[in-house]
Structure formats: C-alpha cells, structure tokens
Amino acid sequence: QPEPIRINKVFKKTHSRRQADQLVADGRITINDEPVHSAGQRVVPFEDIVRLDGKVVEGWEEFNHLTDSSQSNNKSNGGANSESSTQVFEYIKYWKPLGVTCTTDRRIYDNLIDALQQDGCRPKSRIFPVGRLDKETSGIILMTSDGRLPNAALRGKYKHPKTYVVKANR
C-alpha cells in the first residue's frame, strides 16, 4: 500500500502550503466524500478520492511524483517488501542574472520562475531556491522541489554565518 501523504501536498502544484491549509479550514476539501477537518490529515495515493469544492482533484499523485507500483510488474525482492510509491525530486542549477529577484512569487516582477521559463526551463513540479542572491547580484543558485535539501543545508547544525565580498568603486 502506498505511503499516505499530508492533504496539503495534494495541492502543491496549484496552491502554497498555507493556501492548501486554508482550503481545509474553509471546509472546501473532502477525502472519499468525508470532510477534511485537519490540515495534518493524510491521504493514500491511488486509493483515496480527493475533492475540492465537490470536483475530483485529478492527477495529484503525478504532481507529487508518485508512481503506482500495482500498475507495474511485481518482482520478488528476496522476501523484502518493496516500496509501493516513490518520490522523484527536481534539482536545477541556474545562473541567476542581475535584476532577477530570488522569489518564486509570480506576482513579483522579474521573479526566478519567470526567468527560468524565459531561459527555456519548465519544471514539472513546484520548485524553490536553496538560499538566495540579492537582486543586483548574479551567480549560481540551486532550485529544487526537494524540501529536505534547504532544511538540511541551511538550518540547524549546518547553518553558517554569511560572508560578503564587496568591491567599492572610488
């Protein structure tokens, strides 16, 4: 059986986590025709039917890069249970040009997502930067759909003080 995921991940392609949590709070989501009362409620991929405002949410498993192993050949794994769903993440190394704002908010002019698309990159899932660069700075920035990466690299015991190199024209 596939591993259950939080209900707000069903909407990650179309809504932020906070927006998805608000949909739950507003009573707009059902799982198998039962109202969802908690943003922490879990849904089973390829089994549960999720509805938003009464309409079935189609393809949410694909948006989360989950695969249904019941649709593929089940090979013996020497007695070990194989996982029934796998998650695939995107990682994009991008040279951020001057003038691009390090945000994924599409309402902000010259955001990273629009810049990526102008350069021909079309991510399949919702991505975000690992760290940030100032608007008037160019350089490499890593973009990913893997939420574990920024947490592991930028928080907790791996957090490092920022160091800046500044050149002044006189």
Side-chain angles (χ1 to χ4, degrees):
Q1 180 177 3
E3 195 69 30
I5 64 171
R6 287 177 56 102
I7 188 66
N8 56 15
K9 287 191 175 186
V10 170
F11 299 95
K12 78 180 204 176
K13 182 81 171 179
T14 56
H15 298 78
S16 72
R17 182 184 51 81
R18 287 187 183 106
Q19 289 170 332
D21 290 348
Q22 189 61 51
L23 294 174
V24 170
D26 293 343
R28 297 175 59 191
I29 300 174
T30 61
I31 299 173
N32 301 326
D33 295 320
E34 295 292 325
V36 176
H37 299 291
S38 166
Q41 190 164 338
R42 296 187 175 270
V43 61
V44 179
F46 307 105
E47 291 183 18
D48 290 332
I49 298 170
V50 178
R51 295 178 193 269
L52 172 62
D53 296 331
K55 296 179 184 173
V56 174
V57 178
E58 301 279 349
W60 61 267
E61 295 93 348
E62 181 182 320
F63 293 154
N64 283 281
H65 302 289
L66 300 171
T67 57
D68 185 2
S69 66
S70 69
Q71 300 296 322
S72 61
N73 292 336
N74 292 330
K75 296 181 180 178
S76 175
N77 197 14
N81 291 333
S82 62
E83 286 190 32
S84 57
S85 65
T86 36
Q87 193 162 12
V88 178
F89 298 107
E90 289 183 86
Y91 302 91
I92 300 166
K93 181 174 68 172
Y94 179 64
W95 182 266
K96 185 194 88 61
L98 294 172
V100 173
T101 303
C102 264
T103 183
T104 57
D105 187 343
R106 305 289 299 270
R107 296 171 294 180
I108 295 177
Y109 182 72
D110 282 337
N111 63 72
L112 278 171
I113 302 301
D114 290 343
L116 275 170
Q117 290 184 349
Q118 287 171 3
D119 288 341
C121 182
R122 303 273 189 270
K124 294 178 180 150
S125 54
R126 189 167 179 245
I127 61 167
F128 43 90
V130 178
R132 65 173 188 232
L133 295 170
D134 291 337
K135 184 173 184 170
E136 295 308 318
T137 305
S138 64
I140 294 286
I141 189 153
L142 181 63
M143 308 278 296
T144 183
S145 61
D146 182 356
R148 302 169 303 173
L149 182 59
N151 290 332
L154 303 174
R155 292 173 176 77
K157 66 180 180 180
Y158 299 106
K159 187 173 182 175
H160 298 286
K162 294 179 182 174
T163 304
Y164 295 91
V165 177
V166 179
K167 293 181 184 178
N169 294 334
R170 291 192 179 222

